[in-house]
Amino acid sequence: MKRRPGRVRELLRPASIRGRLTWLVAVSALLPLIAGAALAAGSLRDYLAREARDYTVRTIAAVPRLADGDPDAQLYYAAEKLRDDPRLAVSTGIRPAPPRWEPDSRPPEHEPSHGDALLSLWPWTDPGSRSPSLDYVQSGTEGRYLNVANRLQVEQRRLNHMGRLLAGAVLLVTAALAGATWFVAGRVLRPVEAIRTQFAELTAHHLERRVPVPCTRDEVARLAATMNKTLDQLQAAVDLQRRFVGDASHELRSPLAALRAELEIALAHPGDAEWTAVAEAALGDTRRLQSITSDLLLLARLDATGTDGLPGAQPVDLAALVREEVRRRPEGRRALEVRIEAGAPVIVQGRHTLIARLLGNLLDNADRHAARTVTVRLGLGLCPGPGPGCDAAKRVAVLHVEDDGPGIHPDDRQRVFERFTRLDDARTRATGGTGLGLAIAHHIATVHRGTLQITDSPRGARFTTTLPVADPCPAEGPTD
């Protein structure tokens, strides 16, 4: 099997998680293995040193004793016998005898307690370089002596062999652990690399691609699933933005085209043009452009506002705001009924102008589609369900805006809150709005941690808004 190019570089590259993990496991295994091998070799060295001493003592003690008991004869007899053992260094000689000297046999006066002074742990030590040690002396008459020492070459050879075995075992175990870690890390990180490769190919024009989700049900699988969910949301946001840009371009193009056409016709025939009518038509198109632009800017500001906190929020009496907004509206052909069912002031936390804009948009929509009557009802209730800032036991203000018009089909109840959406009965510029009013109202309710939805009604359409009731002692904020 061919080795992939760059494997060694990947192993040595600090930025590689696989390489860093392999190095970490290798070093973490190597250090205790070296320590364990050193302890084992040191214990073996001490054991071999003791064994060498015991062997020398046993060998000397095994020499037969002569029957006549002559010390000198026994000395030379022991020397001849011990010289046949290649592990021992035997020497005889004569030296001045101290006063009151008597023939005897004695071990060395200073035997090392450990083998560190006798044997080397370096596994490539030459056994022939070992100096005889652990000397045992036997003396005879007139200063004659016999010196017996263990050459320690056999012990050093055994220690060298064991040292090489331990060094090889340490390297082999470390390499095996590093290889296993490299293999396992590669298998574990393979889905991550596939996710990275697929994610790198994503562009604004190919957001339909998704990263592969492994079947491991582990953190990597959950990461891939989360990324795909985020990509779904991103694609939905981009599609919405594209539709919004397209719709905004269309909405702005129509009044601009009409304004340009009116002015070009008037300038082409200045003598026949009714300049008052031209100015009125141009003013109407300009007002429409101003309205669309203002709504777009408001939506942009609302998009930048999350539900965690609304800048400039303050306590707002929703009952007083409803009465004020209804009183400010001009009298039209539709009757406007207001019912405040809450017995006390209904205080909500928010921005007065935004809540007034929400109510105004709902009233404009109801007035546009009502046959004869628009009804506004305000009361208190419990939070309808889980959501941002919604507790099942928390009270909310419930605002209903209802008309007696043709109503909205259940299939269109969610679509009407999309931007630039007009149903079939409100498509024309004369009777329909910009298609942003309900989208703005829905967005205002959302940033106030409330809801806006279309609920069932015996007649017409009923828009129900819920806003959390403020705490008894709300935090003060800047006025709006």
Side-chain angles (χ1 to χ4, degrees):
M1 184 178 66
K2 288 186 178 181
R3 292 177 59 86
R4 294 183 181 179
R7 281 293 182 87
V8 177
R9 289 197 304 272
E10 185 180 358
L11 178 62
L12 299 178
R13 189 170 65 244
S16 170
I17 296 179
R18 192 180 185 186
R20 290 201 303 266
L21 184 61
T22 302
W23 276 112
L24 178 63
V25 171
V27 173
S28 300
L30 184 62
L31 294 179
L33 286 174
I34 291 177
L39 290 176
S43 300
L44 179 63
R45 179 188 60 187
D46 296 339
Y47 168 78
L48 291 175
R50 291 192 300 269
E51 198 272 341
R53 180 195 61 192
D54 295 342
Y55 176 82
T56 304
V57 173
R58 291 195 307 269
T59 303
I60 293 175
V63 175
R65 308 295 296 179
L66 297 178
D68 56 5
D70 184 358
D72 294 337
Q74 181 67 35
L75 185 148
Y76 289 109
Y77 176 75
E80 293 297 326
K81 290 292 184 180
L82 294 176
R83 283 193 177 97
D84 295 335
D85 193 331
R87 298 178 62 178
L88 301 178
V90 181
S91 62
T92 58
I94 300 176
R95 58 190 174 190
R100 299 180 181 181
W101 175 85
E102 294 181 0
D104 62 354
S105 178
R106 63 184 187 276
E109 297 179 356
H110 302 288
E111 290 189 17
S113 58
H114 299 283
D116 53 348
L118 307 176
L119 299 172
S120 172
L121 288 178
W122 186 248
W124 288 274
T125 301
D126 181 10
S129 65
R130 296 293 89 194
S131 300
S133 184
L134 294 173
D135 298 349
Y136 281 77
V137 180
Q138 183 175 348
S139 58
T141 60
E142 298 180 358
R144 295 180 178 87
Y145 69 92
L146 169 66
N147 187 79
V148 182
N150 195 314
R151 298 180 185 276
L152 299 177
Q153 295 179 357
V154 174
E155 287 75 13
Q156 184 63 56
R157 191 175 294 110
R158 292 172 60 185
L159 185 59
N160 290 348
H161 179 68
M162 183 58 64
R164 287 190 291 269
L165 288 179
L166 288 174
V170 168
L171 295 179
L172 181 62
V173 172
T174 302
L177 289 175
T181 304
W182 177 265
F183 175 77
V184 173
R187 293 294 298 270
V188 172
L189 295 176
R190 185 180 302 170
V192 178
E193 179 63 22
I195 292 172
R196 186 200 65 79
T197 302
Q198 188 69 18
F199 196 79
E201 297 177 358
L202 288 174
T203 62
H205 301 286
H206 297 88
L207 288 177
E208 70 280 356
R209 294 187 178 183
R210 296 296 179 266
V211 299
V213 180
C215 302
T216 54
R217 298 182 180 180
D218 55 5
E219 291 81 358
V220 177
R222 291 194 291 271
L223 172 64
T226 303
M227 292 180 66
N228 284 337
K229 183 178 180 181
T230 303
L231 288 175
D232 291 338
Q233 297 173 351
L234 177 61
Q235 184 179 10
V238 171
D239 292 341
L240 179 61
Q241 187 71 16
R242 288 173 178 170
R243 290 197 303 268
F244 176 74
V245 171
D247 292 338
S249 300
H250 176 74
E251 293 294 331
L252 293 174
R253 187 185 300 113
S254 297
L256 282 174
L259 178 60
R260 178 178 178 178
E262 292 167 355
L263 294 177
E264 287 179 347
I265 292 174
L267 290 175
H269 306 281
D272 299 333
E274 296 183 4
W275 291 101
T276 302
V278 171
E280 290 178 353
L283 180 60
D285 291 332
T286 304
R287 287 173 177 170
R288 180 172 180 80
L289 285 172
Q290 183 181 11
S291 176
I292 295 175
T293 305
S294 299
D295 290 345
L296 290 175
L297 291 176
L298 178 57
L299 280 173
R301 290 196 298 269
L302 292 175
D303 287 337
T305 303
T307 59
D308 295 335
L310 185 64
Q314 61 181 2
V316 177
D317 186 353
L318 190 56
L321 186 146
V322 169
R323 295 189 184 95
E324 177 184 357
E325 187 65 24
V326 171
R327 185 171 56 253
R328 291 173 51 188
R329 298 187 66 82
E331 296 183 1
R333 62 183 181 86
R334 282 93 176 176
L336 186 59
E337 297 181 3
V338 180
R339 303 174 187 174
I340 306 297
E341 299 174 354
V346 181
I347 306 299
V348 297
Q349 193 76 11
R351 294 179 60 178
H352 186 278
T353 54
L354 291 181
I355 299 177
R357 180 65 180 272
L358 182 153
L359 178 59
N361 287 0
L362 294 180
L363 290 175
D364 289 340
N365 180 77
D367 184 70
R368 188 178 300 114
H369 297 92
R372 290 183 299 273
T373 305
V374 175
T375 304
V376 179
R377 291 188 292 114
L378 176 62
L380 293 175
L382 295 179
C383 191
C390 185
D391 186 355
K394 190 173 182 180
R395 293 198 310 167
V396 294
V398 182
L399 176 65
H400 299 285
V401 178
E402 183 179 352
D403 62 72
D404 58 353
I408 299 176
H409 193 274
D411 295 339
D412 297 326
R413 289 185 175 180
Q414 189 61 34
R415 190 168 65 90
V416 297
F417 295 116
E418 298 178 359
R419 299 169 184 184
F420 295 110
T421 297
R422 298 187 185 88
L423 301 183
D424 292 338
D425 60 347
R427 290 285 185 181
T428 64
R429 298 293 186 269
T431 60
T434 63
L436 296 174
L438 294 181
I440 292 175
H442 187 273
H443 219 326
I444 292 175
T446 301
V447 299
H448 282 82
R449 306 172 73 94
T451 61
L452 173 59
Q453 56 187 345
I454 301 175
T455 56
D456 294 333
S457 173
R459 58 172 187 171
R462 176 187 295 166
F463 289 81
T464 302
T465 305
T466 62
L467 296 175
V469 176
D471 295 332
C473 298
E476 294 184 0
T479 59
D480 189 37

